[in-house]
């Protein structure tokens, strides 16, 4: 039962933090996500009603699945994570999310290590990288704070 509780708290923290960071990022990064001339033309165009509706329909199930998969990987060490102080929990989860799921991710993207290796120069632009990094830093901090607080309240 404790594993289920841990996973549910993890999923909730992920969905809330990811949604919040994504909404803010979309507001300040329209040149990345919207219009035919958007920087990431390989992503769905959020100004296109059909494509935006598709993203809206798939967003929550996809994030729940992502949160679940990320949480089950941590189940073998969940008891040890619960024994950490709040500051160490937040530091661990923030680092885990930013480094493992983003900067050091195996899948290349324009603002991670693999992306610098595999993406063409036209996609590697400083202002775009900064916006993606800010979104991921915001997500990582929010996620780790939400989860750290929920773990303290619940356990």
């Amino acid at each position: 039962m404790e594993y289920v509780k841990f996973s549910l708290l993890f999923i909730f923290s992920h969905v809330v933090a990811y949604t919040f960071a994504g909404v803010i990022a979309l507001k300040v990064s329209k040149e990345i996500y919207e219009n035919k001339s958007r920087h990431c033309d390989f992503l769905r165009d959020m100004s296109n009603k059909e494509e935006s509706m598709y993203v809206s329909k798939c967003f929550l199930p996809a994030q729940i699945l992502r949160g679940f998969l990320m949480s089950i990987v941590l189940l073998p060490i969940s008891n040890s994570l619960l024994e950490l102080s709040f500051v160490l929990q937040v530091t661990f989860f923030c680092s885990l999310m930013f480094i493992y799921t983003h900067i050091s991710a195996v899948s290349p993207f324009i603002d991670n290590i693999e992306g610098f290796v595999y993406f063409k120069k036209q996609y590697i632009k400083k202002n775009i990288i900064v916006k993606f990094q800010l979104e991921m830093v915001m997500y990582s901090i929010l996620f780790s704070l939400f989860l750290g607080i929920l773990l303290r309240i619940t356990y």
Side-chain angles (χ1 to χ4, degrees), residues 9-11 13-15 17-18 93-94 96-97 138-148:
L9 295 173
F10 192 102
I11 293 165
S13 298
H14 166 70
V15 170
Y18 192 82
F93 287 119
C94 187
L96 181 75
M97 299 317 272
M138 185 175 16
Y139 161 73
S140 299
I141 291 169
L142 289 172
F143 169 79
S144 61
L145 287 172
F146 290 156
L147 186 55

Side-chain angles (χ1 to χ4, degrees), residues 26 34 44-59:
L26 187 58
E34 293 185 355
R44 295 186 191 276
D45 180 355
M46 297 310 291
S47 66
N48 177 303
K49 189 175 181 172
E50 274 184 35
E51 292 186 2
S52 181
M53 289 297 291
Y54 178 83
V55 170
S56 294
K57 181 176 79 173
C58 295
F59 179 83

Side-chain angles (χ1 to χ4, degrees), residues 119-135:
F119 271 82
K120 295 179 179 180
K121 282 186 180 183
Q122 70 208 44
Y123 290 106
I124 309 294
K125 293 189 177 181
K126 188 176 182 179
N127 66 322
I128 302 296
I129 291 169
V130 168
K131 287 184 178 186
F132 274 120
Q133 294 300 335
L134 288 174
E135 178 181 359

Side-chain angles (χ1 to χ4, degrees), residues 5-14 17 71 74 81-82 86 89-90 92-93 96-97 140-155:
K5 188 186 330 180
F6 178 84
S7 287
L8 289 174
L9 295 173
F10 192 102
I11 293 165
F12 178 79
S13 298
H14 166 70
S71 75
L74 296 174
L81 294 172
L82 294 172
F86 176 75
Q89 281 180 341
V90 169
F92 173 80
F93 287 119
L96 181 75
M97 299 317 272
S140 299
I141 291 169
L142 289 172
F143 169 79
S144 61
L145 287 172
F146 290 156
L147 186 55
I149 290 167
L150 289 174
L151 291 176
R152 291 285 162 210
I153 293 170
T154 309
Y155 289 95

Side-chain angles (χ1 to χ4, degrees), residues 77-88:
I77 63 168
S78 61
N79 288 334
S80 297
L81 294 172
L82 294 172
E83 293 174 6
L84 296 175
S85 70
F86 176 75
V87 171
L88 283 178

